[in-house]
Structures are given as structure tokens and as C-alpha cells.
Amino acid sequence: MKSNTAGDILGTEDVKKLLMKFAVPSVIAMLVGALYNIVDQIFIGQSVGMLGNAATNVAFPLVTIATALGLLFGVGGASNFNLYLGSGNRERAKKVIGNSLFLLTASGLIMLVVIHMFLDPLINLFGATESVYPLALEYISITSYGILFLIFSTGASAMIRADGSPKYSMYCLLVGAVLNVILDALFIFGFDMGIAGAAWATVISQIVSCVMAAVYFFKMKSISLEKNDFVLKGSIVKPIFYLGASSFLNQIAMMAVQIILNNTATYYGAMSIYGSEIPLAVAGVISKVSMIFISIIIGISQGGQPIAGYNYGAKNYGRVKEVFKLVVGISLVISVLSFLSFQLFPLQIIKIFGDGSELYFDFAVRFCRIFLLMMIVVGIQPASSILFTAIGKSSKGIFLAMIRQVILLIPLLLILPIYFGIDGILYAGPISDGIAAAVAFFFVYREMKELTRLEKEENLKREEAAIG
């Protein structure tokens, strides 16, 4: 039987050093996931143009669904794994990993079949216009074959981090991202394959990342998997769903927002001087660029997840508090930096994704500055959602995952344009971001008080046990 090496480190090493050790690889891994789409969009924008950018935007909801499934079973599995390790229940921890790996594989296969069964209606649902449709169809028809590998590598990376190997988790995704850049350049410009070249580059890179991740589970640090660990059991699957739900729903909410944003941008754009294609292309570019900063925040939060989960299970509440403070504080610093970037350099950021008309750049700059106006505080919402999930408080995690996008942003995207046209879409962003940040701050404040109370009670019990 293996020694609980990961648990020993999570429960004893300095929290700041631990967060650095786990967060840096996690941030890089999250950036890699975001860069897959951004790199494609940059290369496609430079070679195909604005319509190519619009096509990748239409495809983005499918990537979001795949990521959501990966996080549902990956984060749910990782959170339960750390909680069980912290409480000393190694057998249950083993079954959590086995069941999670099975669910990742099965969901990937199911999603691949569903995409090909409903490809045409899905492309229309995601907001494709008549001129964008052929490019979107070509791109999605190919990238769909990488869905299984994307889901598996996304979920597996969370569990690899939970086992105390954040660097290997990072390498799995980093190798795929670097390969994607190389193949994008080779296929698009070297072989003149256009948007199909970007799609095949993505699929091949995702396969490589998946294989690297799968190899890890043959020799984990904390446990050794056996065949019966992969047999699904309701008592194991249920908590995986519970603790993965907030990350899953956050991604699904992003998908819903993207679909509604695409359709409202196209509909109200057609009524404006910009036409339908310009708002559709801009919405995709801005969403993906902002995801760079959100990915950093999520990466830092996921880095804190195994530390918070293990110590909460071990009743080391003081260490859990320290993780909360560090993660939320760093997330807010990242939010401020993102705010400054979008307000000071919007045109420079947009031009990275290719050329366009003066009207295109005018709308893009306005969209960037207004829609992302409250990025200065947006970081606290995803960070707190992940941390609440890590300590087993899935209901709070789910609520915080939902409030920004489902409860606030989606209704605002539907209502405000009725009265303000295309500008209503722009103002929906800062209103939802500001309210969600305030609610998340309130939740974190109350949780810190609760952790302080639990810490005092646990210290008193230990003192009484020492005396007795």
C-alpha cells in the first residue's frame, strides 16, 4: 500500500508555498485550454478573416459543453478524492477516481454521437448566419472528433493535481497546446488547408494530451487503481455529481450566455449600422480574450482546491481560511490587471485577431470597454464558487456559479436590447458582473466567520483531549 504522500504535504506544508506549487501548473493548464481556441481564432482570423472568427465563435459552445463535462467528473472526482484522503478513507478515494474516469470516457463518446446526429440544427442554434454557416460546418465536423479526448484530458488533469502531481497535469495540456500552435501554422499556411487545418491541428493536439493524462493513472502517488474501482456505484457517483456541479454549471452557463449573445448580437446587429456579422465576430473575440483572465483566476482557485478540500476533511480549519484569503486576494489582483488591459488597450487586443473595417474596430472597442467594465471585481465569483465546492458545500458553489450568468446576465441580454438595441447587450455585462461580485463577497465573508468558529471548537477539543 502506498504512503499518503500527497496528503502529508497538503496537511503540513506552508499554505503559500503549497498554493504556488499547485496554482502555477493549474493556471498554465487553464491558459492552455483557453489558448486552444484563441490560437485557432488568431490563425483563422489572419488567413480566413472576420467570417472565420465568426465561425469559431459559433463552434465555441460545443467546446464549452465538453469542458463542462470534463470539470463535472474531474473536479467532482478530485474534490471527493481529497476529502476522503483527508479523512483517511483510502478505499473510497480509489473508487472515486475509477468511477470518474469511466464517466469521463462515456460522456465523451455520447457527446460525439449527439453532435453528429444533430449537427445542422446545432450550428443554427449557436447563431450561424448564412455566410458563416459553411465555415462553421467545416470546422465543427472535424473538431467534434476531438471531443472525447478534450473531455478526458480536462477531467483527468484535475484528478492528477489532486493526487499531488500538478506539474504533470500541466505538462499534459501544455504539450498539446504547443503542438497545436505548430500544427496550426503548418496546416493553415504551410499546406494551405484554411479552417480545416486549424480543426485538424486541434484534434491531433487533444489526442496527445489525452494519452499523456491516461498514462498517469497506471501509477498514481496516493493509490493503486484496480479493475473493480471502475464499476459505477450510486453511492460514489452521486457525490461526484454534487461536488462537480458548480464547475459544470458555470461552464454550461457560459455556453448558454454565448448562444444567447451570438443570437442577440446577430439579431440586433442587423438592425444597427454594424450589420449581423460584425457583432457576431466581435462577441466571439471579446469572450475568448476575457477568458484568458478568467482562466487564470480559475486556475489559481483550482490550485487551492486540493489544499482546502484535504484540510477541511482533516478539520484543519485555520489552513482552509488561509487558502480562502489567498485565492480570493490574488483573484482580485488579476481582475484589476484585466480591467486595466481592456480599458487602456482594447484596439491593440482586437487587432491581434486579424484585420477588419473601421466600423468593425469601432464596435469592437466599444464592446470591450463597456461589456467588460466591471472586470475589476469579477474574479471573486468563480474563485469563491470553486472553493465552496472544494470543502463540500456544493449548494453554495452551485448558486455562485449560476448567479453571474444564468440569474443575471442571460435575462439582461434578453431584456435590455429590447429598449436600448445593440447597446443593451453591451451594458448587460457590467451590471451582472457587479451584482454577482457583491453577492460572492458576502458569501465569502460569512464563510470566514464560520471557519473561525469551527477552528475555535476544534482547538478546544484538542486541548481537552491533551489534558484528558
Side-chain angles (χ1 to χ4, degrees):
M1 183 175 286
K2 298 186 179 184
S3 62
N4 194 4
T5 306
D8 291 339
I9 295 172
L10 292 170
T12 58
E13 193 171 318
D14 179 72
V15 171
K16 291 180 182 177
K17 291 181 180 179
L18 268 179
L19 184 61
M20 181 68 69
K21 178 180 178 181
F22 280 83
V24 170
S26 181
V27 167
I28 293 174
M30 288 300 301
L31 283 174
V32 165
L35 287 173
Y36 262 109
N37 295 287
I38 291 172
V39 167
D40 275 2
Q41 187 135 13
I42 291 172
F43 278 106
I44 291 169
Q46 296 293 340
S47 62
V48 181
M50 185 186 73
L51 292 180
N53 278 332
T56 59
N57 185 27
V58 170
F60 195 56
L62 288 176
V63 177
T64 308
I65 296 172
T67 303
L69 289 169
L71 293 176
L72 173 63
F73 303 125
V75 171
S79 299
N80 278 287
F81 176 74
N82 287 129
L83 287 169
Y84 290 135
L85 276 186
S87 62
N89 193 341
R90 297 168 61 82
E91 283 302 312
R92 199 165 180 85
K94 284 175 54 183
K95 295 189 182 302
V96 164
I97 296 296
N99 277 224
S100 296
L101 292 174
F102 181 93
L103 291 166
L104 286 169
T105 305
S107 62
L109 291 170
I110 292 169
M111 186 171 172
L112 174 60
V113 172
V114 170
I115 290 172
H116 282 274
M117 286 178 63
F118 303 101
L119 187 55
D120 284 349
L122 283 172
I123 292 174
N124 289 317
L125 173 66
F126 296 158
T129 62
E130 186 177 347
S131 55
V132 171
Y133 181 91
L135 289 171
L137 177 63
E138 183 178 13
Y139 187 74
I140 294 174
S141 295
I142 298 170
T143 55
S144 61
Y145 290 107
I147 288 294
L148 166 61
F149 307 104
L150 174 60
I151 291 173
F152 189 92
S153 57
T154 299
S157 66
M159 291 185 282
I160 292 170
R161 285 194 304 271
D163 190 48
S165 299
K167 286 186 178 179
Y168 188 84
S169 172
M170 173 188 71
Y171 293 144
C172 291
L173 299 178
L174 188 59
V175 168
V178 172
L179 182 61
N180 186 45
V181 174
I182 296 170
L183 293 179
D184 264 338
L186 180 63
F187 291 168
I188 294 174
F189 298 114
F191 297 159
D192 196 25
M193 293 173 65
I195 200 168
W200 280 117
T202 298
V203 172
I204 294 169
S205 303
Q206 289 168 343
I207 291 173
V208 172
S209 292
C210 179
V211 171
M212 288 182 64
V215 168
Y216 179 87
F217 294 96
F218 288 98
K219 196 174 182 180
M220 296 180 69
K221 284 185 176 181
S222 303
I223 58 171
S224 293
L225 292 173
E226 300 172 25
K227 288 183 179 179
N228 62 353
D229 294 326
F230 294 90
V231 177
L232 292 183
K233 292 188 176 181
S235 60
I236 300 294
V237 172
K238 191 175 180 180
I240 290 173
F241 273 93
Y242 278 155
L243 295 192
S246 66
S247 295
F248 170 78
L249 292 173
N250 194 47
Q251 291 291 318
I252 293 299
M254 285 172 54
M255 179 204 69
V257 166
Q258 194 67 52
I259 293 171
I260 291 171
L261 183 58
N262 288 352
N263 283 281
T264 53
T266 300
Y267 180 79
Y268 289 100
M271 300 179 184
S272 70
I273 60 172
Y274 303 110
S276 57
E277 272 80 23
I278 286 178
L280 178 62
V282 168
V285 169
I286 298 302
S287 295
K288 290 179 182 179
V289 173
S290 64
M291 272 306 299
I292 294 177
F293 292 96
I294 298 297
S295 294
I296 295 173
I297 291 167
I298 292 174
I300 292 167
S301 305
Q302 288 183 347
Q305 174 263 321
I307 310 169
Y310 179 88
N311 284 285
Y312 196 85
K315 299 183 178 180
N316 294 326
Y317 300 114
R319 291 173 66 81
V320 179
K321 283 170 57 182
E322 194 172 352
V323 174
F324 262 77
K325 289 178 181 178
L326 280 170
V327 169
V328 171
I330 295 171
S331 297
L332 288 175
V333 170
I334 301 300
S335 296
V336 172
L337 293 175
S338 67
F339 168 79
L340 293 174
S341 298
F342 292 127
Q343 296 304 313
L344 298 177
F345 310 109
L347 183 60
Q348 292 86 341
I349 292 171
I350 299 299
K351 284 189 173 181
I352 295 173
F353 294 86
D355 293 326
S357 64
E358 184 178 344
L359 199 61
Y360 169 77
F361 286 119
D362 175 65
F363 181 75
V365 169
R366 288 188 67 239
F367 193 107
C368 193
R369 283 182 169 154
I370 298 173
F371 192 80
L372 302 178
L373 183 63
M374 292 302 292
M375 281 292 288
I376 195 167
V377 293
V378 79
I380 189 173
Q381 180 261 337
S384 55
S385 174
I386 290 170
L387 289 174
F388 276 115
T389 298
I391 61 175
K393 298 190 176 183
S394 58
S395 58
K396 289 184 178 179
I398 291 170
F399 177 75
L400 288 173
M402 292 293 95
I403 185 171
R404 175 173 170 254
Q405 299 183 97
V406 174
I407 299 174
L408 295 170
L409 184 54
I410 288 177
L412 289 171
L413 284 172
L414 294 172
I415 295 170
L416 292 183
I418 296 173
Y419 301 99
F420 304 105
I422 196 76
D423 285 348
I425 297 174
L426 275 58
Y427 289 105
I431 294 172
S432 60
D433 287 345
I435 296 173
V439 173
F441 179 82
F442 175 72
F443 271 53
V444 170
Y445 173 76
R446 290 190 62 181
E447 187 61 30
M448 293 298 289
K449 291 180 68 175
E450 175 65 11
L451 288 170
T452 299
R453 184 187 67 79
L454 292 171
E455 182 184 13
K456 290 179 180 178
E457 288 182 0
E458 191 61 27
N459 289 338
L460 182 61
K461 289 179 183 178
R462 289 172 181 170
E463 288 174 5
E464 291 174 348
I467 294 172

